[in-house]
Amino acid sequence: MTTTAPGADAGPGADAGPATAAGPVTAAGPAAAATGSSPWQLARRELRRRPAVRVSLGVVLLFVLMAATAPWLGALGGWSPEQFDKAAVDPYLGGQPLGALGGISPEHWLGVEPVTGRDLFARVVHGAQVSLLIAFSATAIVVVAGTAAGIAAGYFGGRTDTLLSRLMDLTMSFPSLIFMIAMLSVAKDVNRIVLMTAVIGVFGWPGVARVVRGQTLSLKHREYVDAARVGGAGSWRILTRDILPGVSGPVIAYTTLLIPGMISTEAALSYLGVGVRPPTPSWGQMIAESVAFYETDPMYFVIPSTFLFLAVLAFTLLGDALRDILDPRGGST
């Protein structure tokens, strides 16, 4: 009692007490300010101290590198994803792969696909390229549209806020998965990757917009924003120079958490047969095709499922860590 009462009742002389007592609650801010660290420097420092996050970051970089170099990796293995190898399957056993573990051998590093004999390594690395391309492109659409809508709604308020907020509510209440399946089912002669990216992106932006709107509402009356407004700065300058840097931390954290959801969505749509069409490889498509062989060739199911699991897990752990570092208040609520 004797330690808290003076801090609560004392006058101007008690400023130092509350300031030091409140410091640990927002340790990231004072620590960064005291050392001159930017949010990215603070994030790098914190990430180095977490072994699980370092492993996740390494896995993420490995998948990104694998997707970026898929044609060269496939050529390194000696097979293209559409190339058949009838010598690797047994025609008298329903096209089962020859050899143990689904036909794993020096020629086929991850085995072969039953019946066709297509190389699983080539199909997995090209499937990573397709999955990550759709996930990254859809996430970019979601983040750009959501950030723009959220900043506009939070900063301008009034009718702009009402209109955009109702549009967010309408989009979020729409049965997006059913619409995705219907849209992708009726669209025939179109680029499936472009269509999936657009459809997934259209329904994903309201989540980001709501986060950014809340952050913008808390920033637009800060002293430095009022000072810029009084100094004659226009709305565009204030939004790009003052508001946008203030919401970048939560947006970056939210972006990293969006990617695993996008990968799962693409895999689910391809699994249901409305996503990427053969012969273009996709992890979800490979898992769907492997269901018929899970008893006779379980490796055909295990390999793409493992890659999908590791990708989603790595991006999720990395996103959770970035959220805790860059948006601690959002992560605790």
Side-chain angles (χ1 to χ4, degrees):
M1 179 181 295
T2 57
T3 58
T4 56
D9 298 333
D15 289 345
T20 56
V25 178
T26 56
T35 60
S37 299
S38 68
W40 283 113
Q41 291 173 331
L42 180 64
R44 285 196 299 269
R45 188 182 308 122
E46 289 295 324
L47 290 177
R48 291 194 194 103
R49 291 164 44 184
R50 306 187 185 191
V53 177
R54 291 202 301 269
V55 173
S56 300
L57 181 60
V59 174
V60 166
L61 294 177
L62 181 62
F63 275 110
V64 172
L65 180 63
M66 182 173 67
T69 61
W72 294 277
L73 286 176
L76 184 64
W79 299 90
S80 69
E82 293 86 19
Q83 186 177 358
F84 290 5
D85 183 11
K86 293 296 185 179
V89 296
D90 190 344
Y92 302 104
L93 292 177
Q96 292 301 309
L98 295 173
L101 300 177
I104 293 178
S105 66
E107 287 189 354
H108 300 285
W109 299 342
L110 295 180
V112 297
E113 187 180 71
V115 181
T116 64
R118 291 183 295 191
D119 185 71
L120 282 186
F121 175 77
R123 293 187 64 77
V124 162
V125 296
H126 281 81
Q129 186 180 57
V130 171
S131 296
L132 293 186
L133 175 61
I134 293 175
F136 287 164
S137 301
T139 300
I141 294 174
V142 166
V143 171
V144 172
T147 302
I151 288 180
Y155 181 78
F156 294 107
R159 293 182 178 178
T160 302
D161 187 17
T162 301
L163 177 62
L164 291 174
S165 296
R166 297 296 77 78
L167 185 58
M168 295 177 204
D169 295 337
L170 177 64
T171 306
M172 296 184 74
S173 63
F174 202 81
S176 56
L177 181 60
I178 296 176
F179 183 83
M180 288 181 191
I181 295 174
M183 184 69 180
L184 292 169
S185 297
V186 299
K188 302 296 182 182
D189 299 327
V190 294
N191 188 312
R192 306 294 294 184
I193 294 177
V194 174
L195 181 60
M196 288 185 68
T197 301
V199 171
I200 295 173
V202 163
F203 290 101
W205 66 271
V208 179
R210 285 193 165 187
V211 172
V212 173
R213 176 183 176 274
Q215 293 288 329
T216 304
L217 288 173
S218 66
L219 291 176
K220 71 175 183 177
H221 294 303
R222 296 284 178 90
E223 290 82 357
Y224 61 89
V225 177
D226 290 336
R229 191 180 296 112
V230 171
S235 297
W236 177 255
R237 182 181 178 85
I238 293 175
L239 290 176
T240 55
R241 297 291 183 88
D242 300 314
I243 302 296
L244 186 58
V247 303
S248 60
V251 168
I252 293 170
Y254 199 93
T255 299
T256 314
L257 287 172
L258 275 176
I259 294 175
M262 298 295 182
I263 295 174
S264 300
T265 301
E266 183 278 326
L269 292 173
S270 296
Y271 180 87
L272 294 173
V274 296
V276 177
R277 297 276 178 85
T280 304
S282 166
W283 289 342
Q285 176 197 115
M286 294 172 67
I287 294 172
E289 294 173 349
S290 68
V291 172
F293 302 95
Y294 75 93
E295 290 185 347
T296 56
D297 184 17
M299 292 302 294
Y300 185 30
F301 172 80
V302 169
I303 289 175
S305 299
T306 300
F307 275 83
L308 177 62
F309 169 76
L310 290 176
V312 172
L313 178 63
F315 275 106
T316 301
L317 292 177
L318 183 61
D320 284 338
L322 287 177
R323 182 190 60 188
D324 294 340
I325 296 168
L326 299 176
D327 187 24
R329 289 185 301 174
S332 61
T333 55

